[in-house]
Amino acid sequence: MTADTTSNTTANTGKTAATSVPVHPLLAGRWSPRGFEAAHRLGEERLRALLEAARWAPSAGNSQPWRFLAAHRGQDAFTRLLELLDPGNRAWAGAASALLLVAAETADETGRARPWALYDTGQAVAALSVQAQTDGLAVHQMGGFDAAAAREAFGLGETLTPVVVVAVGRLDADAVLPEPLAARERAPRTRHPLESLLLPAVPAVPAVPAVPAVPAVPAVPAVPAVPAVPAVPAAPEGQAA
């Protein structure tokens, strides 16, 4: 097995992003390969550097909801994680040097919900991926896995939500992959145009002035009752009325 001799230099992936304006080379050079060097071994110090980068990611209220289960190739936990992947991911992920199960703690110790836990955990993995690029490593994040089975297999509590499995290793540009994965590996990287991602600043709709209330119609006073007309007394009998 090849020892971890990766230097602290940006990985030369050959798939640098064609950006509309210059961005940092670490970001322009980062991509998600499937071809990993099967003989590469990820040292503990390198793995710790990745997790340390994730640990210092920003989070809402400094809640730090991310949790990681790390397994090196050859360990039992690696094999169990590999079995949880969708078949398409399982076909190549076994060559990675390590697999990481990433979970988000979606409620605190009092049971109060952490509505930004998933977002924050994504930021932690992003920081991890940039550190990997700095160290000459490659990262591929996978949503295609059985999250329910992962929860059961590794005894995750109700407040821990499995989010993604991350493959880490050293890129092997000559790795043999089945189709259509091989074609995807060779294809150029693409993104939507920046302009299509911008939301328009729609002008505020002016408030409709409130319609003044119609004044209430005053109550009509009651009409006094007309006194009854007294009856005319009947004429005595024998007299003309």
Side-chain angles (χ1 to χ4, degrees):
M1 181 176 291
T2 304
D4 187 358
T5 57
T6 307
S7 61
N8 283 345
T9 56
T10 303
N12 182 12
T13 64
K15 296 185 75 166
T16 302
T19 58
S20 59
V21 294
V23 300
H24 197 285
L26 287 174
L27 301 176
R30 186 221 60 79
W31 66 293
S32 303
R34 297 174 180 83
F36 287 96
E37 187 179 313
H40 177 258
R41 179 176 58 83
L42 182 65
E44 288 296 335
E45 185 175 352
R46 294 282 186 229
L47 176 59
R48 189 173 184 86
L50 301 180
L51 298 175
E52 190 70 7
R55 183 170 78 99
W56 285 96
S59 61
N62 200 26
S63 54
Q64 306 169 56
W66 43 78
R67 299 293 184 270
F68 298 92
L69 187 152
H72 292 274
R73 186 180 58 249
Q75 293 180 336
D76 175 68
F78 184 99
T79 302
R80 291 159 62 197
L81 272 176
L82 188 65
E83 292 172 349
L84 297 174
L85 300 178
D86 290 351
N89 290 327
R90 202 182 311 135
W92 56 265
S97 303
L99 293 176
L100 311 178
L101 173 63
V102 185
E105 191 175 60
T106 54
D108 64 17
E109 60 278 3
T110 68
R112 184 175 58 181
R114 286 177 168 164
W116 300 283
L118 296 177
Y119 175 84
D120 291 341
T121 299
Q123 294 197 89
V125 177
L128 182 153
S129 69
V130 173
Q131 182 64 40
Q133 187 73 10
T134 302
D135 290 347
L137 298 168
V139 164
H140 192 114
Q141 304 169 46
M142 296 170 282
F145 74 104
D146 191 333
R151 180 192 297 278
E152 182 178 355
F154 294 102
L156 304 185
E158 292 183 0
T159 61
L160 286 174
T161 299
V163 179
V164 72
V165 175
V166 179
V168 181
R170 190 156 62 190
L171 172 67
D172 182 0
D174 298 321
V176 177
L177 298 169
E179 293 294 351
L181 302 182
R184 295 177 188 171
E185 200 81 350
R186 297 187 300 267
R189 298 171 61 201
T190 60
R191 291 293 188 273
H192 295 303
L194 179 59
E195 288 70 22
S196 70
L197 307 177
L198 303 179
L199 298 175
V202 178
V205 178
V208 178
V211 178
V214 177
V217 177
V220 178
V223 177
V226 177
V229 177
V232 178
E237 189 176 347
Q239 294 183 3

